[in-house]
Amino acid sequence: RVNEKILNDQKFPNSGLSEEKLEQFKKVLDIAKAHKKGGVLLEELVSEGSIGLTEGLMGFMTPETAHEEIMDAIRKSIRLYLLELEAERTHDNSVIDKVRKMDEALDILKEDLGRKVYIEEVAEYMQITEEEVWDILKLTGEEVSEEDNSSEEG
């Protein structure tokens, strides 16, 4: 299997995959490895990351931001998968609901505004406090800069 060969850093000259596709898959693999936690198979994370890759390729806004948006989509897909696993373990679906609502709000606001979204904008849109927005973002492991007060969500 191609996945196993890539996981083992093997060469596969007749796989039919272009160099570009191999590089994209390697990025998915790198992100999956970075999110690997005990009890979760790397292959599961790669699968989820591949879904994010597909979504990112289909939904990026501009060629200039394509790489960043695709990488964000991969990370988002893997993070949501890990949150779902954690919620299944703890039977706490409220965390997933909050994160999904936050992701939807970020996506809508980013599309409407055409730029990074600020914490106060998310809070106003979701009708919650800025502190609650920060708490939800911290739950997801989302990269948030307190300096510029914007979310890096793609």
Side-chain angles (χ1 to χ4, degrees):
R1 290 177 27 200
V2 173
N3 290 4
E4 291 171 358
K5 287 184 177 185
I6 291 175
L7 289 174
N8 296 321
D9 288 328
Q10 294 178 359
K11 304 292 180 203
F12 37 92
N14 297 321
S15 68
L17 294 175
S18 69
E19 283 298 315
E20 182 180 356
K21 288 184 190 217
L22 289 174
E23 286 305 311
Q24 290 170 341
F25 189 79
K26 286 179 182 179
K27 289 175 185 175
V28 169
L29 179 60
D30 290 341
I31 293 170
K33 285 179 179 178
H35 285 81
K36 177 85 172 83
K37 294 181 179 182
V40 179
L41 295 175
L42 183 60
E43 289 83 357
E44 291 173 356
L45 296 177
V46 169
S47 177
E48 291 298 320
S50 295
I51 292 169
L53 172 63
T54 302
E55 291 171 353
L57 288 170
M58 292 175 22
F60 66 86
M61 295 176 75
T62 65
E64 294 80 24
T65 62
H67 177 76
E68 180 181 332
E69 291 182 50
I70 291 167
M71 296 300 104
D72 286 345
I74 294 167
R75 283 188 285 275
K76 177 180 171 181
S77 184
I78 290 173
R79 277 194 323 268
L80 286 175
Y81 175 70
L82 290 171
L83 282 170
E84 287 172 0
L85 286 179
E86 184 62 30
E88 286 175 10
R89 290 184 189 130
T90 63
H91 303 300
D92 184 12
N93 289 324
S94 65
V95 172
I96 290 178
D97 290 340
K98 288 178 184 178
V99 171
R100 283 204 172 126
K101 287 177 185 173
M102 173 77 67
D103 278 337
E104 289 172 11
L106 289 169
D107 289 344
I108 290 168
L109 287 169
K110 183 179 176 192
E111 186 174 325
D112 288 352
L113 300 172
R115 59 172 168 75
K116 290 181 181 177
V117 178
Y118 292 93
I119 298 299
E120 61 267 13
E121 294 169 327
V122 177
E124 182 179 330
Y125 182 85
M126 293 181 67
Q127 299 180 339
I128 60 176
T129 67
E130 289 180 29
E131 184 176 324
E132 289 172 300
V133 172
W134 282 107
D135 289 342
I136 295 169
L137 288 171
K138 288 175 188 173
L139 283 173
T140 67
E142 184 68 46
E143 294 177 26
V144 179
S145 169
E146 293 195 40
E147 255 178 39
D148 67 3
N149 200 27
S150 67
S151 169
E152 299 292 327
E153 176 64 42

